[in-house]
């Protein structure tokens, strides 16, 4: 007796570190369920060592990414939007399953995520003009201020919005010329892993964006205390840990975006808050003589 039925090829969900897709060094994984409680997959359960590896990759990639022209960074981010557009039906299905929304709403969220990449791609070569300034001074001097990328940014992604919320916190990091280590939504990590595959095929240099899956409460303290992380976004931090994470970040003189009381609506109009947060202002004085 023959049968045409076949078993589906189950996907192995891994981390995204340094442009590669390694398993967690611990070998651990955890079950991921859909909004209806159905088991979807097992995702890699990242460890402290994985955080260190991701930070090292982000630090190594920072000089090349921050040193690229703003136009080039914009083209790379636009390519992310192109690749995401090409996989639009898949991401719609992922968001439906992860967030338990109807297909029409999921389509709107995916389209907004694509548009968000385009929006930030357009800002890469405008940041200096908008955030910089020429300052009035008394005397034979000219003084100007210009924004520069801060460095490695640790990002705790929003817990509820698995794709658009993630893009909302990741895209501005890359647009400013910083590199990122992202801890994906603990409950809804699969769209983040799929997005990592888009990043890997979108001309984003290895190490510029690194995506970890696992327990946010376990990974966040190591990220907040790491000496090679210059900034921290607490968008998806557990409420009970937020104050401790801010204190750990303060010990390393990190820039911090505090955890909001309520997770923001990711469909709102984007703004410049994170572009400002991940840049430092350098001021230059120059004499002008007769």
């Amino acid at each position: 007796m023959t049968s045409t039925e076949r078993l589906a090829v189950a996907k192995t969900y891994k981390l995204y570190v340094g442009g590669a897709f390694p398993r967690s060094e611990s070998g651990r994984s955890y079950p991921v369920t859909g909004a209806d409680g159905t088991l979807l997959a097992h995702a890699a359960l990242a460890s402290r060592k994985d955080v260190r590896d991701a930070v090292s990759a982000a630090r190594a990639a920072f000089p090349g990414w921050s040193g690229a022209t703003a136009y080039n960074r914009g083209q790379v981010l636009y390519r992310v939007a192109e690749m995401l557009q090409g996989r639009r039906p898949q991401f719609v299905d992922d968001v439906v399953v992860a967030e338990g929304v109807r297909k029409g709403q999921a389509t709107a969220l995916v389209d907004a995520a694509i548009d968000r990449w385009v929006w930030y791609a357009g800002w890469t070569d405008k940041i200096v003009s908008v955030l910089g300034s020429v300052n009035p001074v008394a005397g034979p001097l000219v003084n100007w201020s210009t924004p520069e990328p801060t460095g490695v940014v640790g990002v705790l992604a929003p817990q509820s919005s698995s794709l658009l919320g993630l893009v909302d916190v990741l895209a501005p990091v890359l647009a400013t010329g910083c590199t990122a280590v992202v801890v994906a939504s603990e409950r809804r990590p699969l769209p983040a892993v799929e997005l990592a595959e888009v990043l890997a095929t979108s001309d984003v240099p290895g190490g510029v964006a690194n995506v970890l899956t696992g327990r946010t409460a376990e990974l966040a303290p190591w990220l907040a205390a790491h000496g090679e992380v210059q900034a921290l976004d607490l968008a998806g931090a557990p409420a009970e840990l937020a104050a401790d994470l801010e204190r750990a970040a303060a010990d390393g003189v990190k820039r911090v975006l505090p955890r909001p009381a309520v997770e923001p609506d990711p469909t709102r109009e984007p703004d410049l808050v994170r572009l400002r947060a991940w840049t430092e202002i350098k001021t230059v004085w120059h004499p002008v003589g007769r």
Side-chain angles (χ1 to χ4, degrees), residues 220-221 224-225 232 234 237-251 256:
L232 192 65
L234 299 179
E240 65 276 11
L241 282 184
D244 290 339
L245 295 175
E246 289 187 25
R247 281 190 286 269
D251 288 340
V256 176

Side-chain angles (χ1 to χ4, degrees), residues 44-221:
L45 187 59
S47 68
R48 177 185 180 183
K49 174 65 162 54
D50 296 316
V51 171
R52 293 203 306 266
D53 289 346
V55 173
S56 295
R59 170 52 51 192
F62 177 70
W65 183 244
S66 62
T69 66
Y71 176 79
N72 178 252
R73 287 199 299 271
Q75 290 292 296
V76 171
L77 297 192
Y78 189 82
R79 179 61 176 163
V80 175
E82 289 180 335
M83 297 297 289
L84 189 55
Q85 176 74 39
R87 294 175 59 170
R88 181 170 173 263
Q90 174 194 352
F91 276 95
V92 169
D93 291 342
D94 288 343
V95 172
V96 167
V97 173
E99 301 183 17
V101 298
R102 294 182 180 275
K103 188 169 184 177
Q105 184 179 351
T107 300
L109 291 172
V110 173
D111 288 346
I114 296 168
D115 294 344
R116 198 64 49 90
W117 281 111
V118 174
W119 195 83
Y120 280 109
W123 268 102
T124 56
D125 59 359
K126 300 172 183 66
I127 296 172
V128 172
S129 298
V130 173
L131 301 186
S133 62
V134 177
N135 311 310
V137 295
L141 300 164
V142 62
N143 173 288
W144 67 91
S145 299
T146 184
E148 294 189 341
T150 294
V152 177
V153 181
V155 179
L156 305 182
Q159 296 297 324
S160 298
S161 182
S162 59
L163 178 64
L164 180 55
L166 170 62
V167 172
D168 207 34
V169 294
L170 174 59
V173 174
L174 306 190
T176 59
C178 295
T179 55
V181 176
V182 180
V183 178
S185 168
E186 179 178 335
R187 293 180 290 118
R188 301 169 175 176
L190 302 189
V193 180
E194 302 287 0
L195 180 62
E197 295 180 354
V198 168
L199 297 173
T201 54
S202 301
D203 303 326
V204 179
V208 168
N210 304 273
V211 180
L212 305 177
T213 56
R215 309 298 184 201
T216 304
E218 178 183 349
L219 302 177

